[in-house]
Amino acid sequence: GKNDYDLLVIGGGSGGLACAKEAAQFGRKVAVLDYVEPSPQGTKWGLGGTCVNVGCIPKKLMHQAALLGSALKDAQHYGWNIAQPVHHTWSVMAQAVQNYVKSLNWGHRVQLQDKKVKYFNMKGSFSDPHTIRGLTKAGKETIITAENIVIATGGRPKYPTHIAGALKYGITSDDLFWLKESPGKTLTPFVFNVSLECAGFLTGIGLDTTVMMRSIPLRGFDQQMASLVTEHMESYGTKFLKLCFPTKVEKLESSRLQVTWKNTELGTEESDSFDTVMWAVGRAPETETLNLERAGVKTNPETGKIIVDASEATSVPHIYAVGDITEGRPELTPTAVAAGKLLAQRLFGQASELMDYENVPTTVFTPLEYGCVGLSEEMAVQCYGADNIEVYHAYYKPLEFTVAERDATQCYMKMVCLREREQRILGLHFIGPNAGEVIQGFALGIKCGATYPQLMKTVGIHPTCAEEITKLHITKRSGLDATVTGC
Amino acid sequence: SVQAHKEDTPQKLLEMNGHTPEPHSYDYDLIVIGGGSGGLAAAKEAAKYEKKVMVLDFVTPTPLGNSWGLGGTCVNVGCIPKKLMHQAALLGQALQDSRKFGWQFTEEVKHSWMTMTESVQNYIGSLNWGYRVALREKKVTYENAYGEFVGPHTVKATNKRGVEKLYTAERFLIATGERPRYLDIPGDKEYCISSDDLFSLPYCPGKTLVVGASYVALECAGFLAGLGLDVTVMVRSILLRGFDQDIANKIGEYMEEHGISFIREFVPIKVEQIEEGTPGRLKVIAKSTKGNEIIEGEYNTVLLAIGRDACTRKIGLDKVGVKINEKTGKIPVNDEEQTNVPYIYAVGDILQDKLELTPVAIQAGRLLVQRLYAGATTKCDYVNVPTTVFTPLEYGACGYSEESAVEKFGEENIEVYHSHFWPLEWTVPSRDNNKCYAKIICNIQDNERVIGFHVLGPNAGEVTQGFAAAIKCGMTKEQLDSTIGIHPVCAEV
């Protein structure tokens, strides 16, 4: 018989909603299933996915709260008389952030309604390639059939279940943003950008925060930049336990948590007590409960992620996947949104444009932000050989730091170019305030195939931090001092 | 160098050396008149190629007696102190926001003008010092003296104490920049201040009237209001002439909504002193541009920001035959920054039909020197130069304004894409929904190439810089669409 819907999207996050709304524009019958399985600590949230509820949005807002703390200190130097000491109240911030997120949940529901997309607050799983079984919280079942299905269920934080007490006593980013009370003295073991960002803003609002790392920070990112970021965090006040990994978590009578860890450098075992332990050991794709085998959709056995081709199609022709759940794609909101939109345009709008995953810019919102696009230096060396690339770099001082007497030691940028005549830019890396704003436009330039000479022809805007990029001229190869001096 | 006493005339000197002195008998390869952004960049670059360079820099005191050190407008009374005071104002706003983000401190927060100005001046002092050291290290001769041409290849340098010296050079670079214009009404020079005085004012300006609608006027009015002062802007006709008017009006609206009063279509005709003081009290009488209406107002400070005039009238250009635009005072140059006199060049704000921006002056100065002494051929590219106006709501732009695009290409051949946006950081403190704005203007006939970029919002300068680079690479709308945004930032819009 006829399918209920032209398109059924499982997962109402960044990718899923973008795809659904775009498809509805073409007059198609579209439905979205969204369901949030509560975290082990019991946290749950509304429509919108990770980004809106427990990712980018609350993270950036809390990062902003921390930045405002720095601004309060700077302000004194600029003539503002603020009586010391200054306090931060977690609950005021958390309430404000949570209220805003809830307004976004509401906004998404209204949008779906406006665009006539049917929304089911249900957990979906495959019965067969065209049939989805939706289950409400109360256990009520609905069967839905669709011509095309898009899986966009995203991921959830992993727990290191091999560590005693990890699951029982620890929280993850799923819980952090919804805490009603301050997390207090916090430990974040392992160093993905999420944990660094969270540790950063927790420090910024005045909490005693420790990051524990077994090996390198920000795996996959340019390592020189990663160490500058963590160096800054150390001078900012975040504690680092390097070359350590936790072995167990126990609850004390005081209801604090006792964490024991192994120091691989000294070969010793240490412990300390914390109010909160926030795990950030990576995210696992939400595919287990989908019953993918019923539909015949293949996943990568190692990662659990869904394998897709360049058109976002899975091993089953009419079943697609976008976002964090797909194998080999960046785990970023804007790529999921773009992929979702383009997919809808190809399915229903007679478009043929495929998603371009090359040169996707991103930013890590640590206290001193790090924005980048393109290849890391190590990757460029690996792809082209050290002799065939040129790295231009500079240490600079944002003008606003001068009067504020702020340390700019880690304010740094570098551009990785091909050495051959044209000098095409392979990668751009920037650490400093507003790194995201700085990098965005340059990412565009790189998409246009920008070369080093073209960038040098671009006149700078004065006074900004971004203009320093157009002035890069000291190479690493030269060995000269890369500190920028005056106008 | 050739020293001459006051009695000696340039004529005698030339007779001594002969009418056309041999190249090897010049004192210097290059004399730069004006130690600002353009002049210093050129001087330092020339020294790299082992040329004998001299910089003459002198600041004629303002009518109120104010003066400053080496570095020119940008460093002393322009971009640098402006951006720092703008930052002070932004921090005031940040203080308010921070309460919504959970920060708690006393309700009453006051701003101390003296603390801010002292910090700013200290920083500028360090820059002046830095430049002197840099010139010394690069072996560029620097004299704090007023330079003017007295004959072919010859300048007279007069220092503060009136001591005169003569110097000759193979080539000259004029980079004397500009100074604020006065209204030419009773009381203007005696009682009004300009941007030349504002940044080092030794007392809080208090209730201020800003006369003018240039970016200088709006930026100053903006940060003064942000610091808590009562500010009024008196505008003769339109805001930000030469900029995209749609955006200019949005900027004006935003400022009005944030407590700045605007008096439109009036010009001051007289300024009187009611009471002396720091600040004193001034009475301003203004006349309507549209009729005979006269209004009066009382202010502590009147800041004139009605434009700037090139410093070209009193540097002896007539003695060497350098042509200037008699009306504007600006110097026309060819695309190699050469004046009508082959061995005399000019860069920076004094150039006719060129942008008055620090980075442009620096770029032009450097490239000129590279062409003169390093065999380079690259000319300064004045097209698609990005700029930013640091008003309370910042405005970054690159390329055509909407009106100039329509004029050049015709309305049917351009497409304007636009969007309002709400920076994430403004949501929690419930600030100004739907005020920030971005638009791009595309040329339909040229593959929808982006020919104009405009953004109104926080950190507009940081946002615009990269897009300017992309425009230089010829970016099209399609390329813009296919570039992934960084989330969540304003620039992704």
Side-chain angles (χ1 to χ4, degrees), chain A residues 60 78-79 87-88 437 440, chain B residues 101 104 111-112 425 486 491:
Chain A
K60 187 99 191 295
Y78 280 89
H87 294 288
H88 184 264
E437 309 291 2
Q440 182 70 85
Chain B
F101 279 90
Q104 289 171 321
H111 182 260
S112 159
E425 291 76 5
I486 297 172

Side-chain angles (χ1 to χ4, degrees), chain A residues 108-119:
Chain A
H108 280 301
R109 292 196 62 164
V110 168
Q111 267 183 37
L112 288 185
Q113 217 166 327
D114 283 349
K115 291 182 180 347
K116 301 200 189 1
V117 173
K118 187 93 175 97
Y119 163 59

Side-chain angles (χ1 to χ4, degrees), chain A residues 159-179:
Chain A
Y159 272 83
T161 46
H162 60 283
I163 298 174
L167 187 62
K168 198 163 175 196
Y169 304 122
I171 66 166
T172 68
S173 56
D174 275 1
D175 310 292
L176 181 69
F177 302 111
W178 294 92
L179 291 178

